[in-house]
Amino acid sequence: MPVLILLLSGFIFLLLTCAIILIFLRESSLIFTGAPYISIPKEVIPAILDALELTPTSILFDLGSGDGRVLFAAVKRADGLQGKGIDRSLIPTWTARFQKWKQHEHAVEIMRGDFFQADLSSATHIFVYLFPKLMNELLPKLQKELKPKTRLVSCDYQFADLEPKKIIELEHRPVRAL
């Protein structure tokens, strides 16, 4: 009987371990989120903020916000700005929420979810650092929901059907103002 209990508890432990690994892979995987988490290099952020042309009344959405570093830098630069980050991945969202707590930053809101389902109509500025396929899927939503003067900035990639007004080359990392 004790051997059976030992075998059963080992089997249950194995099942729980596999379930935790599958949940982790599902939450952080390229397969389920559409893009891997790749953080923006800190040295590129000032150029991104320059391209965004933020003001204290700006409402900045960072779609695929990851650890929130662009949002946190933006609220430090433009006091009064509201930053809203949306990301589907669990770990980058937790990281951003921890940074928000650590910095006592009330002007940043970090949401875990699908930006395709979010209402973006209040945005005055949008920042994206996404793969081209995802950007091209997002473009119709942006064109439908955003106001005509909304500033859209992308790092590294551009939309196939939207010509940038300005390209800023930074050590082989283009920042596009659209």
Side-chain angles (χ1 to χ4, degrees):
M1 189 68 141
V3 173
L4 183 60
I5 292 173
L6 186 62
L7 285 174
L8 187 59
S9 63
F11 180 71
I12 291 171
F13 176 76
L14 180 64
L15 282 176
L16 287 173
T17 303
C18 289
I20 289 169
I21 290 170
L22 287 173
I23 289 168
F24 176 78
L25 289 174
R26 180 179 182 273
E27 294 298 335
S28 62
S29 171
L30 169 64
I31 295 168
F32 294 97
T33 62
Y37 168 61
I38 302 171
S39 61
I40 293 281
K42 289 180 181 174
E43 59 273 4
V44 177
I45 294 175
I48 292 168
L49 298 180
D50 289 344
L52 281 164
E53 299 177 3
L54 299 165
T55 69
T57 60
S58 297
I59 301 172
L60 170 63
F61 277 76
D62 184 348
L63 307 181
S65 56
D67 63 7
R69 64 181 59 190
V70 172
L71 291 170
F72 294 119
V75 298
K76 281 181 181 54
R77 182 181 279 194
D79 190 31
L81 171 141
Q82 293 178 43
K84 298 176 186 254
I86 305 172
D87 202 297
R88 290 179 69 181
S89 295
L90 183 65
I91 293 171
T93 302
W94 281 357
T95 303
R97 287 179 179 164
F98 175 73
Q99 286 301 320
K100 174 184 166 66
W101 171 80
K102 188 172 133 184
Q103 296 177 30
H104 304 286
E105 189 53 70
H106 302 290
V108 173
E109 181 181 355
I110 303 295
M111 298 167 277
R112 181 164 176 259
D114 184 352
F115 49 72
F116 284 97
Q117 303 302 317
D119 178 8
L120 307 175
S121 62
S122 65
T124 60
H125 297 75
I126 299 273
F127 174 70
V128 293
Y129 182 43
L130 303 169
F131 282 162
K133 180 180 185 285
L134 201 52
M135 289 177 61
N136 292 328
E137 291 171 4
L138 180 61
L139 185 59
K141 175 179 177 59
L142 295 175
Q143 290 172 325
K144 178 182 174 190
E145 290 185 26
L146 300 183
K147 296 176 258 240
K149 296 286 184 180
T150 301
R151 185 109 171 131
L152 176 58
V153 172
S154 151
C155 185
D156 285 343
Y157 308 107
Q158 70 184 54
F159 296 97
D161 297 330
L162 187 61
E163 200 61 37
K165 293 179 182 167
K166 183 179 183 182
I167 297 178
I168 305 160
E169 289 290 339
L170 301 167
E171 297 180 29
H172 310 292
R173 295 190 79 90
V175 175
R176 294 173 174 81
L178 305 159

